[in-house]
Amino acid sequence: MLKVDNIDVFYGGNIQALKGVSLEVNEGEIVTLIGANGAGKTTLLKTLSGLLKPKKGTIEYLGKSIGGKAAQGIVKSGISQVPEGRRVFSNMSVEENLELGAYLRKDRDGIKKDLQRVYALFPRLLERSKQSAGTLSGGEQQMLAMGRAIMAKPKLLLLDEPSMGLAPIMVQTIFSIIKEINEEGTTILLVEQNAHMALSIAQRAYVIETGKVVLSGDAKELQESDEVRAAYLGGL
Ligand SMILES: Nc1ncnc2c1ncn2[C@@H]1O[C@H](COP(=O)(O)OP(=O)(O)OP(=O)(O)O)[C@@H](O)[C@H]1O
Ligand SMILES: [Mg+2]
């Protein structure tokens, strides 16, 4: 579904954030990208959604080259990103935020159905549909950011650290919903620092360090590897 081949991404000409990164996501998978602060995870997701342009290398999505294409066209083609730190519109209601997620769509009936689907996935959002988004808890805002991305009807959902700053119980809830979204047919690329949780729901994983993919493979195998345990699982 997605094939990233040897991309270099820079900020402002001389800060190189990605160095020859390659990765693949197959349709139906949950693939996770784990790595420490500053490793380049967000940079990769922003490049996939067209917010940054690779200086070198190619990105292929459903057989077409999308490297350097404009963000709006990429959303239309079915890639939708849940940004790090949620970024909901605080002064707008929950429902207005969700409707914004569908702003490029014209299929009114489909949009209505997807709104019901989001409320079925996140009953908490239905209860709070008229409340302004800024009054939601961190976990609820994460739900809203995910719901908003689903409203774009993605084939591939990019999630940037959905567990960040959440209590363990809320992390469990968010991860079980990610699994459910995947089981309903959406392919997922999950960026996380919570390696333990991410590896437990993903089929495959990539480990990124200072802009380079240093390890990749079956999620279960990586979870058991000494290298990953020592560096990302607190030596567990
Ligand atoms: N707008 C920017 N301008 C310059 N450098 C940047 C910019 N954004 C990120 N960087 C640098 O690029 C590198 C990768 O950052 P990135 O945000 O992709 O990391 P990350 O893996 O998402 O980290 P975190 O887990 O902290 O979110 C870092 O060295 C960072 O300082
Ligand atoms: Mg980041």
Side-chain angles (χ1 to χ4, degrees):
M1 183 176 219
L2 179 75
K3 189 171 163 56
V4 176
D5 189 26
N6 205 21
I7 59 167
D8 285 353
V9 176
F10 289 77
Y11 287 103
N14 56 1
I15 300 174
Q16 186 167 7
L18 296 181
K19 302 166 186 164
V21 168
S22 298
L23 66 80
E24 284 180 29
V25 179
N26 300 307
E27 192 160 359
E29 280 187 311
I30 299 180
V31 172
T32 187
L33 176 69
I34 59 177
N37 286 122
K41 305 181 297 298
T42 298
T43 302
L44 177 69
L45 292 193
K46 283 186 172 167
T47 308
L48 296 177
S49 29
L51 302 172
L52 295 169
K53 292 187 197 319
K55 189 165 179 188
K56 209 190 85 194
T58 57
I59 303 172
E60 228 177 75
Y61 165 68
L62 297 175
K64 284 188 188 138
S65 167
I66 59 162
K69 257 183 85 175
Q72 183 159 323
I74 290 176
V75 174
K76 269 193 178 163
S77 73
I79 298 181
S80 169
Q81 187 179 349
V82 181
E84 185 177 338
R86 356 277 193 215
R87 304 196 184 248
V88 299
F89 294 95
S90 305
N91 297 324
M92 294 171 64
S93 74
V94 165
E95 191 146 307
E96 286 164 345
N97 269 273
L98 291 174
E99 283 163 354
L100 266 185
Y103 81 108
L104 290 173
R105 295 174 62 182
K106 300 210 165 60
D107 55 324
R108 282 173 180 268
D109 292 345
I111 293 171
K112 258 193 190 155
K113 264 191 206 146
D114 283 333
L115 187 62
Q116 296 318 310
R117 184 179 160 226
V118 167
Y119 284 145
L121 278 168
F122 304 102
R124 201 73 83 82
L125 296 183
L126 178 59
E127 288 164 21
R128 289 159 172 70
S129 63
K130 302 290 176 255
Q131 202 168 308
S132 70
T135 63
L136 298 178
S137 75
E140 290 161 357
Q141 290 191 15
Q142 183 59 47
M143 293 175 180
L144 180 54
M146 287 166 66
R148 185 179 58 189
I150 290 171
M151 291 302 293
K153 210 177 175 58
K155 298 185 181 86
L156 174 62
L157 184 63
L158 311 175
L159 293 161
D160 197 347
E161 301 205 40
S163 78
M164 191 170 54
L166 304 184
I169 182 80
M170 187 54 89
V171 174
Q172 298 272 359
T173 305
I174 295 291
F175 274 80
S176 76
I177 294 169
I178 293 170
K179 259 184 118 167
E180 201 175 332
I181 293 168
N182 175 250
E183 279 158 11
E184 288 179 357
T186 308
T187 305
I188 290 175
L189 178 57
L190 169 66
V191 157
E192 263 298 338
Q193 280 197 57
N194 189 334
H196 177 70
M197 288 297 290
L199 290 171
S200 73
I201 68 163
Q203 285 90 51
R204 290 189 309 109
Y206 293 84
V207 178
I208 184 169
E209 280 174 13
T210 57
K212 282 188 186 151
V213 171
V214 292
L215 271 175
S216 64
D218 181 85
K220 290 274 160 323
E221 280 168 22
L222 284 186
Q223 210 165 12
E224 280 154 24
S225 85
D226 293 339
E227 234 173 316
V228 170
R229 283 185 184 205
Y232 299 99
L233 298 172
L236 290 173

